[in-house]
Amino acid sequence: MKSTAASTDKTIAQLQSRIVDLETKVRFYEEQFNLLQHKRFGRSSEKPDTQAELFNEAESIIAEEERAHQDDTEADSAQITITYTRKKPGRKPLPKDLPGEQIRYELPKSEQVCGCGHALHEIGEDTSEQPDIIPAQIKVIEHIRVKYACRQCDNGIKTAPEPAQPIEKSIASPGLLAHIAVARYTDALPLYRQEAIFKRLNIDINRTSMANRMIKTAQLSQPLLQRLIHYQLQQSIIQADETPVQVLNEPGTKAQSQSYMWLYQSGSSGASPPVIIYDYQPGRSGLFAKNYLQDFKGQYLQTDGYSGYAQVCTPQSGIVSVGCRAHARRKFDEVIKALKGKNVKPGKAIHYALNQWTQLTCYIEDSHPEIDNNAAERRIKPFVIGRKNWLFSQTPNGAMASATLYSLIETAKANKLEPFAYIRYILTELPRLGRHAEPEAFDALLPWLCAEKIQALQ
């Protein structure tokens, strides 16, 4: 009997332990479900509900003005003596450098008479501005090479040379290539949509041709890209992030496997010059970051805590790992949302914070690193937005071309250059330099060194 009772007690204990395990799993999956539901349908506390604002823009502006008026009324009734100038809502003036057209409206002669019978005379003008849109226009540049001959012999024929072109034996001009690149990598407009837009303009440019031209444009830009990387690696702080990208025809991997787009950017406020580099790699191994940063001359590498960067921040390299407080905070925020007000025991969030504590407190000891890695996250978003539209890259060459063109465009934007003007300018100048020019010769095309020339051309 004793053995039977002992066996029963043991079975009960095992079942109770099993129940506890199952209850723990149920709570875990419940938390994950709540978190996924919030991410999909809920509003994030870290950013406004942009989707709601998209369809409620006018109402939001009116509500904002009413709140401002209410604030003023409450302040007056409370006799608050602090004074300040509130920014009044209103339209911003149109840029003065836009081309303009004047349309003058005058009364007919028959109406330029006062009710008393005397003639009216001009006393002034009321002027208002109205922006107008001129649809995209395509022009044909006809290159005419004049031939010269000698009247005394048959061997003296000469022909004026044609300017070097971005793509040899191609009709694509710098302006056309810049337009395609900016539409895809700034406006996230896939090539098949651009093909349809060109057809509406009675121009036949198929997506395959555009894809090949983007690859050749990126190849032409490689010397300039290497100079950008050179200057970035001289800076004291670099921020890094990475995001998946699917490449269908990656040699040695399945089509469903994930490659990665790595991002490296100047990592301190007001860094001069700001440089943003996208680097395509077939995986997420920390070895890729180590190879890219092998010539990094700075002191700090700031990331979101991904362990792969440990291959970069070693005692031998002297590079200090800096964490991201926004990521640490986000993990606690996710736990609170997942539990929906229940008793909070955020083990994983605390574990992350404790493991990253040294990296999370670096900015206290030195004011140069940022408190978070949000700037790198913002810089990688243009690629993420584009990826939602075209979902995958066909080949590694295409992914690498995208990385190059994203790098050039985002660096131009960071240096306050209009991306189309910059890409068109460098695609005009790069063929003149040629591929075999000294590396320093390409410095004249760096965004922070050619801004005045670009502005003069506009």
Side-chain angles (χ1 to χ4, degrees), residues 276-291:
I276 294 92
I277 299 296
Y278 294 75
D279 182 43
Y280 166 75
Q281 295 295 344
R284 203 189 181 197
S285 167
L287 185 62
F288 298 123
K290 181 181 179 181
N291 290 339

Side-chain angles (χ1 to χ4, degrees), residues 54-192:
L54 178 64
F55 297 102
N56 199 31
E57 184 178 12
E59 291 83 352
S60 298
I61 294 172
I62 293 171
E64 183 179 347
E65 293 180 0
E66 289 176 349
R67 284 195 299 271
H69 176 72
Q70 184 180 358
D71 290 345
D72 287 341
T73 304
E74 292 175 355
D76 290 341
S77 62
Q79 295 184 349
I80 296 175
T81 58
I82 298 175
T83 60
Y84 62 94
T85 302
R86 181 181 299 279
K87 185 177 181 181
K88 295 182 179 180
R91 290 193 297 268
K92 292 183 178 180
L94 297 172
K96 297 297 183 184
D97 57 349
L98 288 178
E101 174 187 354
Q102 289 187 339
I103 304 177
R104 186 178 175 87
Y105 303 96
E106 297 180 346
L107 288 174
K109 291 290 184 181
S110 60
E111 295 183 19
Q112 296 181 20
V113 180
C114 181
C116 68
H118 290 83
L120 298 176
H121 66 277
E122 292 186 20
I123 60 171
E125 296 175 341
D126 288 332
T127 303
S128 62
E129 293 181 331
Q130 184 181 49
D132 193 17
I133 296 294
I134 301 174
Q137 297 179 345
I138 297 180
K139 68 178 181 180
V140 176
I141 301 175
E142 188 176 6
H143 297 275
I144 302 173
R145 302 168 61 196
V146 178
K147 293 183 177 182
Y148 301 87
C150 176
R151 296 184 184 277
Q152 304 299 321
C153 66
D154 295 331
N155 299 321
I157 298 176
K158 293 183 178 180
T159 305
E162 185 179 2
Q165 298 298 317
I167 301 176
E168 191 175 351
K169 297 180 180 179
S170 170
I171 64 170
S173 67
L176 177 61
L177 295 173
H179 175 85
I180 296 170
V182 171
R184 187 171 193 220
Y185 301 110
T186 299
D187 302 326
L189 199 61
L191 297 181
Y192 75 90

